[in-house]
Amino acid sequence: MATDHNETTEVGGLRSSELLETNAPEKVQYTLTPSDYKPSKGYRLLSYIWDAFGKAPEERQFVLRLDFYMFIYSLISYIIKIIDQNNISNAFVSGMQTDLKLYGQQRNLFTTFFNMGYLAGSLPGQIIITSGVRPSYYIPACELLWATFVMCIAACNSAAPIYGLRFLEGLAESAIFPSFNLVIGSWYTPSELGKRMCLFEMSGQAASMFSGYIQAGVYNSMNGRYGIAGWRWLFIIDGIISFPVAIAGFFQVPDFPTNTKAWYLKTKHRDYAVQRMAILGRKPIERLTLKRFCQIFTSWRPYLFLLPYNMIGFGQYTGYFNLWLQSLKKYSVAQLNIIPTGGNAIGLVMSYLVANLSDLTRTRWPWMAFAATFSLLGSIILQIWNQYPGKVSNQVVMFAQMIGFASSPYQPLCIAWMAESFQDSATTRGLVLGFGNTINYAMNAWLPLVLFPTPEAPHYKYGYQAAIGFSCADYVSIAAFWYAVRWDRKRRGMIINEYGLAVERDEIYEGAVDIQDLEMPTKDGPSMTVSAL
């Protein structure tokens, strides 16, 4: 519907004259896909697999463009990051332990030093981004650095230099997870976000699978080639494949809707991105100041978010699966690397299914509680096996080890819940996630040494008991965050808009006005514009 641009029309609580300036010849406003929109049969079938196909043409084209250029790159980048992070475990059971005579706590210390680096860089990295440095510069630069550090591990002949390189690797890799989550959460709507957050996390599960297959393939085909051990080749190959991915990041990471310079987004797409978030009530990122930093960290938000976000990770036992397999003394090196990938496959399937259900119902916390149940079940079984050796069969232990991976949707749904609950401040979203990661890695710098010491493997005095306790705490922390969010909304007099998001009363979406002339395909083939239709 066309309107007189000299008039002011309310939309999303903003007057047309007050909307963010864009490069379009006139200020324009958009609606999201109407709730009663019915796509053609072919698109409707495709929408069951990928939600973008169920949207109206202009929004479908926009979301698919984002998915193809930005989101797929984020998945590839995170896969490389997880492969580089986890290869130390694969290398350890593939000859590294015997070659370097690592028979103490070195395996856990490798993880500890990585966590210390990650701890040192996680929150400062988010401060850097929220202070004005573009993610499209910061993320790829960090990727280039960690690829270099990974390759250097191949040349090490003792544990000491590996400790230093693992610290530097963790410092560089700390940019990836919170930064990509901040970027992704700044572009997608509630009906899109949960699935993409889970898929982003699922790419880590896929990376763990790939790492096992890569190590098995490298060990079998490259072990001894040019006098270099197979486990050393893993670090070399990981570094080689990381460099081109890092360079691509300078072109693929789009920054934020309000400041993007992405080559694949035309002016109309950039305008659409800004208006789409404005309709939702999601505020753009603001430059971090000391005053704003103090306001964020003197509020309840960082502290109650870190409870549900971190609890499940503190008691996570799936990282010690291959040590149990090794203790059985019946599996080859290749099998030790491949068998745990079955758990990763379970995580992949569960993440996809639960994320779709979460987006469909537009709720996060019930599905988080559902996912946490699998971690609790596995912990209970393993504690019974740990306390009564010989009473639980290896088949049941295998089930318990595998079922823990089914809790994979928990953390990405928690991040999506946070992004939607704190949509009034992108700066807050970035900093609290960086803070949550800092606490997570601070705990993991020492907690595994106490709960899962390598010399005790596969039986641990405290490990599985603690895992049960942390799993139970998941439910308490979910309830605490849920209550705090509702209390804050009521205190501030906020209401829920039609997209399920809390906004101030003067920001509620009241209707659509002008729609920009985006090109849309028609049934007859040629492109037409919205106004022409």
Side-chain angles (χ1 to χ4, degrees):
M1 177 182 69
T3 60
D4 185 351
H5 285 281
N6 293 322
E7 297 178 1
T8 57
T9 307
E10 297 287 345
V11 56
L14 298 171
R15 293 181 180 275
S16 61
S17 59
E18 296 172 342
L19 286 172
L20 292 171
E21 294 289 342
T22 69
N23 293 323
E26 55 187 16
K27 296 174 186 178
V28 293
Q29 302 171 48
Y30 300 86
T31 58
L32 304 183
T33 299
S35 58
D36 59 350
Y37 175 76
K38 294 182 180 180
S40 65
K41 184 177 180 181
Y43 280 123
R44 186 167 65 251
L45 292 174
L46 288 172
S47 70
Y48 294 127
I49 301 173
W50 195 247
D51 53 41
F53 291 106
K55 298 181 180 296
E58 69 274 12
E59 189 172 19
R60 177 171 67 239
Q61 293 170 10
F62 173 76
V63 174
L64 288 175
R65 181 177 292 264
L66 270 184
D67 290 340
F68 184 77
Y69 290 105
M70 182 265 284
F71 186 63
I72 290 179
Y73 173 78
S74 71
L75 300 184
I76 295 172
S77 180
Y78 194 55
I79 285 173
I80 297 299
K81 185 260 187 191
I82 296 298
I83 289 176
D84 291 347
Q85 176 182 333
N86 290 346
N87 56 15
I88 200 80
S89 296
N90 297 116
F92 192 85
V93 297
S94 302
M96 185 183 195
Q97 181 182 28
T98 54
D99 286 358
L100 303 187
K101 297 179 174 55
L102 307 176
Y103 297 109
Q105 283 274 47
Q106 291 92 340
R107 181 185 184 275
N108 275 336
L109 286 171
F110 292 152
T111 302
T112 297
F113 275 92
F114 177 90
N115 291 343
M116 290 169 62
Y118 204 103
L119 166 64
S122 190
L123 184 57
Q126 295 309 290
I127 292 175
I128 289 171
I129 288 178
T130 54
S131 296
V133 176
R134 289 178 176 270
S136 57
Y137 298 157
Y138 184 65
I139 293 174
C142 290
E143 290 180 315
L144 289 172
L145 287 174
W146 96 56
T148 303
F149 300 142
V150 166
M151 292 188 72
C152 289
I153 295 177
C156 294
N157 293 312
S158 65
I162 298 177
Y163 295 149
L165 288 168
R166 288 287 287 177
F167 176 86
L168 294 174
E169 184 185 343
L171 186 67
E173 289 192 20
S174 65
I176 303 306
F177 185 80
S179 299
F180 268 126
N181 274 288
L182 176 60
V183 172
I184 292 169
S186 299
W187 290 87
Y188 290 106
T189 67
S191 64
E192 303 158 357
L193 187 59
K195 181 188 291 85
R196 286 160 180 81
M197 287 294 192
C198 280
L199 284 171
F200 183 68
E201 186 96 356
M202 283 167 60
S203 67
Q205 296 284 352
S208 297
M209 294 175 64
F210 296 155
S211 184
Y213 290 115
I214 289 172
Q215 179 58 53
V218 167
Y219 188 87
N220 291 331
S221 62
M222 300 294 288
N223 188 32
R225 183 75 61 90
Y226 305 114
I228 300 175
W231 65 267
R232 294 183 189 272
W233 275 112
L234 177 63
F235 296 108
I236 295 171
I237 293 173
D238 283 351
I240 290 172
I241 63 177
S242 298
F243 280 110
V245 174
I247 293 171
F250 290 104
F251 306 97
Q252 298 301 106
V253 178
D255 300 318
F256 303 104
T258 52
N259 71 348
T260 182
K261 294 182 180 179
W263 64 272
Y264 50 85
L265 294 176
K266 300 178 181 179
T267 300
K268 63 182 180 182
H269 300 126
R270 298 173 188 178
D271 297 338
Y272 192 8
V274 172
Q275 305 292 356
R276 211 165 78 116
M277 292 298 102
I279 288 173
L280 292 176
R282 187 165 299 161
K283 300 297 177 61
I285 194 164
E286 299 174 306
R287 187 179 294 272
L288 181 66
T289 62
L290 179 60
K291 180 180 179 180
R292 187 168 288 122
F293 181 89
C294 293
Q295 288 174 340
I296 292 171
F297 282 96
T298 54
S299 71
W300 62 270
R301 289 182 167 189
Y303 311 104
L304 283 183
F305 165 70
L306 69 85
L307 292 177
Y309 177 68
N310 284 326
M311 283 299 168
I312 197 164
F314 292 161
Q316 189 59 259
Y317 59 82
T318 54
Y320 306 93
F321 188 6
N322 57 2
L323 293 181
W324 172 70
L325 293 172
Q326 188 179 43
S327 72
L328 299 178
K329 301 184 185 304
K330 66 177 185 179
Y331 296 112
S332 66
V333 169
Q335 289 173 316
L336 291 176
N337 288 303
I338 291 174
I339 292 174
T341 64
N344 300 130
I346 292 173
L348 287 170
V349 173
M350 283 296 298
S351 292
Y352 181 77
L353 293 176
V354 174
N356 274 279
L357 292 170
S358 178
D359 278 351
L360 183 64
T361 58
R362 294 190 182 182
T363 57
R364 309 301 182 196
W365 70 265
W367 301 107
M368 289 170 58
F370 173 72
T373 303
F374 297 102
S375 182
L376 176 61
L377 175 62
S379 301
I380 292 173
I381 294 173
L382 289 174
Q383 174 54 25
I384 295 172
W385 163 76
N386 191 62
Q387 190 169 350
Y388 303 101
K391 300 293 185 180
V392 180
S393 68
N394 286 340
Q395 290 80 1
V396 174
V397 176
M398 180 73 79
F399 168 80
Q401 296 279 6
M402 290 283 191
I403 202 65
F405 290 90
S407 63
S408 296
Y410 179 97
Q411 193 172 67
L413 288 181
C414 186
I415 296 171
W417 190 19
M418 179 273 293
E420 293 161 356
S421 299
F422 301 164
Q423 73 155 0
D424 58 334
S425 174
T427 307
T428 300
R429 297 198 300 272
L431 290 182
V432 299
L433 187 55
F435 179 63
N437 270 10
T438 298
I439 298 300
N440 186 30
Y441 278 85
M443 294 292 288
N444 283 321
W446 61 270
L447 198 58
L449 300 175
V450 176
L451 299 184
F452 299 99
T454 303
E456 293 183 10
H459 291 276
Y460 306 101
K461 186 176 181 179
Y462 304 111
Y464 300 122
Q465 297 177 57
I468 294 173
F470 286 125
S471 295
C472 292
D474 289 335
Y475 301 101
V476 178
S477 60
I478 289 171
F481 187 69
W482 175 85
Y483 177 81
V485 169
R486 289 176 63 88
W487 166 81
D488 190 55
R489 289 174 180 172
K490 184 177 181 180
R491 177 182 64 86
R492 297 168 60 186
M494 303 179 79
I495 57 177
I496 304 300
N497 65 17
E498 62 181 294
Y499 307 107
L501 301 173
V503 295
E504 302 290 346
R505 288 186 178 273
D506 62 349
E507 294 179 353
I508 191 66
Y509 175 76
E510 295 179 357
V513 291
D514 307 331
I515 299 179
Q516 184 177 350
D517 286 348
L518 292 176
E519 292 185 352
M520 298 170 53
T522 64
K523 293 181 180 179
D524 297 327
S527 296
M528 297 184 66
T529 61
V530 176
S531 58
L533 291 174

